[in-house]
């Protein structure tokens, strides 16, 4: 299969030296790309700015902002049979990035932010028979919130994780996740290396592809 994977954070420029971003290290998405390549699939990895080497056999497409990532996904989605959106896309960006370094002055600093495009929503009309898997990083009730996103974004499966746990989510090599499907079925995987969870995601996609 042809698999398109996104990973890492995005950076939204404030000025030439400052940006807004998040704690994503890219490890989960890179593990998904590696597992897909190991299983013999053709893999394109759209990567935000992270300090990781591309897994062997993976074609890497580097992006910075949410808008760059949206354009890269839009440009490659027709090629893929499955899309895994593991990236932590910024939801807001400064309304206007300054082309000069902002001077600090004495008073408080106010930044006006605007919404970025929701990438999964933006490619909904191109989905067709493609298998689309999303992630949901939550600090509240991961399953309830992820179920809402699964249906709003028209996904085939969502991988929910509780990022408030020290052994799951950002900047660690392990994760504890729940796979949720549109029929309400769930499968929980307790704390395991991200590489093992990635392999399970690829197996799920392969078995799903056989059914369609
Ligand atoms: N996502 C996306 N485009 C965005 C934000 C998120 O495609 N602008 C994708 C993520 O890659 C992930 C899924 O949507 O696969 C859920 O992301 P998450 O950040 O958990 O949810 P949000 O849609 O940002 O919703 P909320 O702000 O309510 O948590």
């Amino acid at each position: 299969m042809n698999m398109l994977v996104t990973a890492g954070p995005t950076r939204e420029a404030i000025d030439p030296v400052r940006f807004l971003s998040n704690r994503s290290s890219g490890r989960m998405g890179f593990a998904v790309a590696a597992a897909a390549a190991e299983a013999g699939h053709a893999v394109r990895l759209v990567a935000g700015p992270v300090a990781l080497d591309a897994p062997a056999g993976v074609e890497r497409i580097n992006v910075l902002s949410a808008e760059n990532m949206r354009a890269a996904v839009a440009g490659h989605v027709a090629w893929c049979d499955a899309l895994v959106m593991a990236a932590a896309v910024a939801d807001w960006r400064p309304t206007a990035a300054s082309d000069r370094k902002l001077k600090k002055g004495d008073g408080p600093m106010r930044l006006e932010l605007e919404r970025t495009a929701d990438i999964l929503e933006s490619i909904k009309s191109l989905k067709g028979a493609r298998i689309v898997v999303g992630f949901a990083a939550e600090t509240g009730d991961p399953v309830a919130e992820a179920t809402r996103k699964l249906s709003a974004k028209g996904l085939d499966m969502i991988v929910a994780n509780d990022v408030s746990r020290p052994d799951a989510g950002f900047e660690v090599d392990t994760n504890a996740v729940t796979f949720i499907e549109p029929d309400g079925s769930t499968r929980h995987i307790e704390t395991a290396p991200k590489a093992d969870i990635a392999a399970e995601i690829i197996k799920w996609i392969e078995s799903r592809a056989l059914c369609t």
Side-chain angles (χ1 to χ4, degrees), residues 8 44 63 75 77 83-84 99 132 142 145-146 148 176 179 195 200 212:
R44 294 183 183 172
V63 297
V77 72
L83 165 66
V84 181
D99 54 10
V132 180
E145 268 302 291
R148 182 181 63 75
F179 291 3
E200 292 303 317
T212 52

Side-chain angles (χ1 to χ4, degrees), residues 85 87 89-91 116-120 134-137 148-149 153:
M85 275 292 301
V89 187
D91 289 316
T116 56
D118 187 298
I119 298 173
L120 283 170
F135 272 74
R148 182 181 63 75
K149 291 175 189 177
K153 296 177 192 247

